[in-house]
Amino acid sequence: MSSKAAILAAIQKNKPSETPLPALLNFPDQPDLVEKYQKGLSGNGGKLIEAGSLEQVQQHISENFAEDQLIASLVDGIKGNVDVQQISDPHDLEHVELAILKGELGVAENGAIWMPEENVVHRVLPFIAQHLIIILKENTLLTNMHQAYDQVNVSAPGYGVFIAGPSKTADIEQSLVIGAHGPRSLTVFLLK
Amino acid sequence: MKGHTHAQAAEEFIKDDARTHWHDETLWHVRQKRDLSAQGIPEWETLRDTASAAKNYVLSHLGELLEQFESNALANGVEVLWAKDAKEHNDHVYRILQENKVANIVKSKSILTEECGLNHYLEDKGYEVVDTDLGERIIQFAKQAPSHIVLPAIHLKKQDIGEIFHKHIGTQEGASDPKYLTEAARQHLRKKFIEANAAITGVNFGIAETGGFVVCTNEGNADMGTHLADIHIACMGIEKLIPRAADLGVFLRLLARSATGQSITNYSSHFHRPAQGKKMYIILVDNGRTEQLGREDFKNSLKCIRCGACMNTCPIYRRSGGYSYNSTVPGPIGSILSPGKDLKKYSTLPFASTLCGSCSDVCPVKINIHEQLYKWRQVITENTDVDASKKLAMKVAGVTFGKPVLYDLAGKMARTALRITPDSLVYSSINVWGKHRDLPQVPKESFKEWYKKNRKS
Amino acid sequence: MRVGLFIPCYVDQFYPDVAKASLELLEKYNVEVDYPLSQTCCGQPMANSGYERYGKESADLFMKNFGHFDYIVAPSGSCTLHVKDHVLPKDDKTPQIYELCEFLTDVLKVKDIVSSFPHKVGFHSSCHGLRGLRLAKCSERMDPEFNKPLSLLNKVKGIEMVELDRKDECCGFGGTFAVAEEAVSITMGNDRIADHQKNGVEVLTGADMSCLMHLQGLLTRQKSPIKVMHIAEILNGNPVK
């Protein structure tokens, strides 16, 4: 008997009595989503900036990053100097200083942003970059994770991730350190 | 710690009073962060009820959900392997590594691979497995096992870690600043990520409906590993399934809040298909789970989502440390999972509890942990060679309490004996109670004797 | 209303004053209480040690003594829980067993407590009463706040209830645990005591004499000025011993 058959047979033999599948949960929309989102994001170490336009984002980048640093932008209207689409081996992204990506939707309760594969092109990009900027539309903000899963088809992309902050750890005496393996900062620009 | 009971190991741990209290305070702080976070969710108890019901559904439909999961994963271009036990799991991993001529392996946190002893197995075959979760890397250097399933190095102080890093990755001697040490680990592990050909991860949730799976980290180490390497091997216990993608709404709201008080882990990664030119494998592991499924009283321990909240809340775990359990999963949940694997070896674990019930009330999937501890105790005293004198004492007590005349007599004798015996004898070494505690002042008259005189006459 | 008073074995033998206070308190509310003289122990010590099977005789005896009452009242959350879960038949409506405090709040619905106790009091929330009988909302759950024993204590004249840092952590008694896991048990007990000491408690009280016996044992050994009293004694108006 194959292991699969053996395991399924053992399950059949030991199967508990049937219980029903619970209905999906739904909770009312909350007001003040921007304020709540800001709280959710900063709780996980991210920073929210409400921006009037993409120019403001561009200005922020010019002020905080040097021209000789590698910047990978996948947002139209934001300049970069790494052409992510032309890269075939993700290892070539090793020295990217900043990645600028577009988020699909944001979740107010925890700051999480859904990033499907097409928004990052190379799956490793939002992790390997030293810093990460995500552009998010204010009208994509949702109250909670139930609403997020209602909107997102998680299996449409081969890969997708909820990003809720920069890379962090508290494995040494529970003291929080930002910048474990991935981005040392996450800045979310919220556009109207 | 082999051959030791939990009580003996705990006694050793407690000898360092300052460290015991530091350990207790640190974990209590995590529990408080969990409380604060849960208090912010008015529907918290509804989430727990729903998560529990979803997992009950999984257990009662496990066969069909596994088949659904497999066929969806296959359609997604993922290879699915089944393993009856730890050895078969390890053999699968080894074969995949061989077939793909893998030289360098990185691994993110997976309790299942700990359970299977994968690292040792692969090391014996000549592989180096680099654990990439910071806490796991620390204990890997120190050649220790995790002492907690979410906070693997929680038993170590920053000075200990400074020493370990100095020895293994050349940080400055005496340096113990967490920021400095974390940065050193970052530089060290970046190289390992870049060099890796294969990445091994655990699985937090397998989605039957889509054939995909979710891995949660804060550090981003699972993603750094899997997206750079050509081979991704995901090791998953068969109980890790959830029926629908939408159920993740419930589970992701509960998991991190229960574990550390965070609203969500910073990365919740959903894997469905391998990236172009790469390979993805899922190994579905039984290793005793189907047997546990058949134990009516204990089956729902399989609902566990490995948040570690029961450890943080357990007043015994906090004061005895993870190693006192001598089991891959320590703490309350470990004490109900492990006896199912080896009743004799883990026979003292269900007794390492006051049955205070905090674990059951903190559990996000409502496992009745303390009731199962009680039930394991009944099983253990019937099926293992427990202390014969204790057994006899219990039998005598049973008889005494069954007969009022015997009880009244025994009570009177005990009170008289305690009153007339010199303290030096009462507090001799055989009286464990009296090592640090006084006995109650013994009254001349029991309540029953008083009642007969004052009410019944 | 036929009410049977169940006095746990160790209270009968070692703490008759607690039993007397419980009886007198019920009598103050005009409850006709009967105390069956053939009672012994509910069987919990055996059951929690893994020998539930040796508790059959005491369980049968318990039913013989108490089966005919409408209510059974006991000044112990732990024993009450054991009887509820493991002794009383699950399907029968009567008898119902109540821990003393919940009998006062839920059945008698008492409005006043005729007692004065001008002291700083710390309440030890025993686990079986708290999480087993749900005498109060425990800190783990996110339900609305309620606390039956505290609602009674707050009615006592002059009493000052002290807030603890860890309001419902286990004291480490746990029956045979207190001896089998002596090192952990002592550490847990001392940590509880330290919380009460730090917050200026003069009298430590609770609804389970077993936990209090453990804490009192530690306190007297350490020659601490903190006194230990069962909640029934305070509610009954007994002075500090």
Side-chain angles (χ1 to χ4, degrees), chain B residues 331-350:
Chain B
I333 183 70
S335 300
I336 61 172
L337 286 171
S338 301
K341 297 202 181 258
D342 186 338
L343 192 66
K344 208 174 157 198
K345 182 177 174 195
Y346 299 114
S347 67
T348 65
L349 298 191

Side-chain angles (χ1 to χ4, degrees), chain B residues 32-161:
Chain B
Q32 284 181 307
K33 286 197 290 184
R34 172 262 175 209
D35 289 354
L36 205 63
S37 183
Q39 280 156 12
I41 309 293
E43 58 267 23
W44 184 257
E45 296 300 332
T46 308
L47 294 178
R48 289 178 71 225
D49 289 337
T50 309
S52 170
K55 277 289 181 181
N56 280 333
Y57 177 84
V58 169
L59 294 183
S60 65
H61 296 78
L62 192 54
E64 59 203 77
L65 291 174
L66 278 169
E67 289 194 275
Q68 188 191 5
F69 178 74
E70 182 194 35
S71 73
N72 285 325
L74 291 173
N76 289 338
V78 180
E79 195 171 319
V80 180
L81 300 152
W82 299 69
K84 284 199 295 279
D85 51 26
K87 183 179 179 302
E88 192 175 7
H89 163 266
N90 294 346
D91 289 345
H92 280 319
V93 175
Y94 178 62
R95 195 178 44 73
I96 296 167
L97 298 176
Q98 289 277 301
E99 275 174 18
N100 292 286
K101 300 188 172 52
V102 169
N104 300 314
I105 310 161
V106 288
K107 182 159 107 15
S108 67
K109 196 151 63 193
S110 150
I111 317 295
L112 177 63
T113 60
E114 283 290 333
E115 176 188 320
C116 294
L118 179 67
N119 282 16
H120 289 305
Y121 170 93
L122 290 179
E123 279 156 21
D124 286 348
K125 304 253 183 211
Y127 284 100
E128 188 202 1
V129 184
V130 176
D131 277 321
T132 57
D133 172 81
L134 177 59
E136 295 233 308
R137 189 62 177 153
I138 293 166
I139 56 167
Q140 187 173 41
F141 281 143
K143 297 202 185 320
Q144 295 177 343
S147 72
H148 185 293
I149 58 172
V150 173
L151 320 163
I154 194 69
H155 58 291
L156 294 173
K157 291 199 160 194
K158 60 186 179 187
Q159 290 80 4
D160 304 328
I161 296 165

Side-chain angles (χ1 to χ4, degrees), chain C residues 71-83:
Chain C
Y71 295 101
I72 307 164
V73 180
S76 158
S78 189
C79 302
T80 301
L81 181 68
H82 180 77
V83 171

Side-chain angles (χ1 to χ4, degrees), chain B residues 318-319 358 374 381 401 415, chain C residues 13 40 50 52 140 169 191:
Chain B
R318 277 188 266 112
R319 292 175 181 82
S358 181
Y374 174 89
T381 58
F401 290 140
R415 274 182 288 115
Chain C
Q13 295 295 335
T40 60
E52 197 182 78
E140 294 85 3
E169 191 179 43
D191 289 350

Side-chain angles (χ1 to χ4, degrees), chain B residues 6-7 10-11 14 21 24-25 28 31 34-35 38-39 44-45 48 313 315-316 318-319 351-358 361-362 374 377-378 381-382 386 391 394-395 397-398 401-404 407 411-412 415 418 427 432-438 440-441 443 445-448 450-452 455-456, chain C residues 5 7 9 12-16 19-20 23-24 27 33-35 37-41 45-54 57-58 61 82 86 127-128 131 134 138-143 166 169-170 172-174 176-188 191 213-214 217-218 220-221:
Chain B
H6 178 273
E11 197 180 343
I14 284 172
H21 281 100
D24 167 61
E25 287 289 346
W28 180 253
R31 157 75 209 276
R34 172 262 175 209
D35 289 354
Q39 280 156 12
W44 184 257
E45 296 300 332
R48 289 178 71 225
T313 203
I316 286 99
R318 277 188 266 112
R319 292 175 181 82
F351 294 91
S353 162
T354 56
L355 305 180
C356 80
S358 181
D361 277 340
V362 89
Y374 174 89
R377 292 180 182 187
Q378 314 304 326
T381 58
E382 284 215 74
V386 286
K391 192 169 179 170
M394 287 297 155
K395 211 166 188 165
F401 290 140
K403 305 215 167 24
Y407 161 82
K412 200 177 182 85
R415 274 182 288 115
L418 278 174
Y427 293 112
V432 180
W433 173 274
K435 264 163 75 183
H436 298 280
R437 285 168 292 217
D438 278 2
Q441 286 270 320
E445 192 174 60
S446 71
F447 172 71
K448 193 179 280 184
W450 174 90
Y451 188 86
K452 280 185 199 162
R455 289 292 192 281
K456 271 278 150 97
Chain C
L5 180 65
I7 297 299
C9 48
D12 173 43
Q13 295 295 335
F14 294 123
Y15 298 101
K20 283 178 224 168
L23 176 68
E24 286 165 10
E27 287 171 345
V33 189
D34 188 26
Y35 171 79
L37 287 168
S38 303
Q39 62 180 283
T40 60
C41 164
M46 288 88 83
N48 283 359
S49 305
Y51 296 93
E52 197 182 78
R53 58 193 179 279
Y54 295 157
E57 279 183 69
S58 60
L61 179 67
H82 180 77
H86 302 286
C127 302
H128 290 175
R131 300 189 193 86
R134 304 282 177 206
C138 61
S139 57
E140 294 85 3
R141 286 187 60 99
M142 300 299 142
D143 308 315
R166 300 187 187 181
E169 191 179 43
C170 178
F173 171 67
T176 47
F177 178 89
V179 174
E181 288 264 5
E182 199 251 358
V184 187
S185 173
I186 297 293
T187 310
M188 287 167 70
D191 289 350
M213 174 171 74
H214 164 65
L218 288 165
T220 48
R221 176 65 57 90

